[in-house]
Amino acid sequence: MLIRGFVSILIVWATMPVLSDTAPVLDVVTTQYPPFEYVENGTVRGQDVETVRTVVERMGFVPRIRLLPWARAELMVRNGDADLLFSLTASPQRERYYLFTDPISTARDVFYARKGADISWTTYNDLAGLRLGVSASYSYNQEFMDWLAKDLARVMTMSQEQPDLAGLRMVALDRVDLFICEETACNYLIQKYRARYPELSRVTAIPGTVGEERYFRAAFSRQRPDAEQLRSDFNRMLNQLDLGNSN
């Protein structure tokens, strides 16, 4: 699916017009969340970065993409100080501030545990009494959040600069029993940082998805008077890429 998507992006790049020096700039913000978005050798890269950059250029804009702390990026778009935010999941709370695009990629939240920990679950109540790590900046499945509010588990919130990496290491060091994480992102982190943090080799995803597979989207600021039109144009160009996502 991803290969087909990237091939489609390359085809679009080959056929899109060269933007003029006077093309309007679209201010786009995101945060460090590899492999979806990250900085490498001073350049913003990642599978969602390439999708958004291609779509925005196809819309006739020059995308100015910046990686910022997530809270700052969200605040800028909410206040109209930036135009577009990605990658995030839609929620009723966020709908007050953003106009969400069609999906740009998929998200699947799973639990990570120490290998050999013999932890399994079917319902959230199976997790009662365990030490659960969560990321402060991530929007999880609402049913899971409602269960956490019952205080049946001991919850530790990761608010470090790289909360997912911190959570995985906490599992490896037996400071939490489980850490919930988007599977693609955490598998990438384990692979990337295993040489620096050998304890990550002791961490693995366990069966079961927290909620249904969800979609990462981009979101336009409602502060822009033309936000509806921008979203419509974005979706039209996005659908031409044929990434294999659906609503």
Side-chain angles (χ1 to χ4, degrees):
M1 181 183 297
L2 288 177
I3 293 176
R4 184 179 67 178
F6 284 123
V7 170
S8 298
I9 289 174
L10 291 174
I11 292 173
V12 171
W13 273 341
T15 58
M16 71 168 56
V18 177
L19 296 174
S20 70
D21 294 336
T22 59
V25 173
L26 199 70
D27 199 3
V28 184
V29 291
T30 184
T31 197
Q32 185 91 354
Y33 194 51
F36 300 100
E37 40 264 347
Y38 58 94
V39 173
E40 183 177 75
N41 299 324
T43 301
V44 182
R45 302 183 184 277
Q47 62 188 55
D48 284 0
V49 170
E50 303 311 324
T51 297
V52 170
R53 179 182 286 126
T54 299
V55 169
V56 170
E57 289 180 350
R58 192 68 173 172
M59 291 167 63
F61 290 90
V62 175
R64 183 174 69 173
I65 302 177
R66 291 179 288 163
L67 264 66
L68 304 170
W70 183 251
R72 181 183 171 193
E74 276 204 293
L75 186 62
M76 289 183 67
V77 177
R78 289 183 180 190
N79 292 341
D81 297 323
D83 304 308
L84 184 66
L85 176 70
F86 75 100
S87 304
L88 68 170
T89 56
S91 70
Q93 295 81 6
R94 287 173 166 173
E95 288 280 359
R96 293 181 294 171
Y97 307 102
Y98 313 124
L99 289 176
F100 284 95
T101 69
D102 288 344
I104 59 175
S105 58
T106 57
R108 181 174 179 265
D109 296 333
V110 300
F111 290 114
Y112 283 78
R114 289 177 305 284
K115 293 178 180 177
D118 193 26
I119 297 176
S120 62
W121 69 284
T122 302
T123 70
Y124 296 135
N125 285 337
D126 295 332
L127 309 175
L130 296 180
R131 301 166 297 170
L132 300 184
V134 301
S135 171
S137 60
Y138 196 83
S139 177
Y140 297 106
N141 171 265
Q142 189 59 52
E143 184 181 358
F144 175 66
M145 296 301 293
D146 292 342
W147 182 82
L148 288 183
K150 298 178 181 179
D151 291 329
L152 297 177
R154 291 173 284 171
V155 179
M156 180 176 294
T157 301
M158 310 296 163
S159 56
Q160 294 89 334
E161 183 176 348
Q162 291 184 280
D164 288 342
L165 179 59
L168 291 170
R169 294 190 66 205
M170 294 285 273
V171 170
L173 297 173
D174 196 20
R175 295 176 184 170
V176 296
D177 298 305
L178 295 172
F179 179 66
I180 179 174
C181 186
E182 201 288 316
E183 189 173 29
T184 299
C186 270
N187 285 348
Y188 174 91
L189 291 174
I190 291 171
Q191 187 73 19
K192 180 177 176 63
Y193 289 101
R194 191 161 44 196
R196 185 184 304 180
Y197 304 114
E199 64 268 20
L200 291 177
S201 63
R202 301 196 294 267
V203 179
T204 188
I206 65 174
T209 302
V210 181
E212 297 179 350
E213 184 176 71
R214 298 185 293 166
Y215 300 103
F216 282 142
R217 304 172 189 266
F220 284 96
S221 172
R222 286 188 178 272
Q223 298 296 320
R224 279 198 64 133
D226 59 347
E228 290 277 6
Q229 184 61 54
L230 287 173
R231 177 173 65 174
S232 177
D233 292 344
F234 186 101
N235 287 342
R236 180 162 49 86
M237 297 305 174
L238 177 67
N239 291 332
Q240 291 180 6
L241 301 185
D242 188 24
L243 298 178
N245 298 323
S246 64
N247 291 302

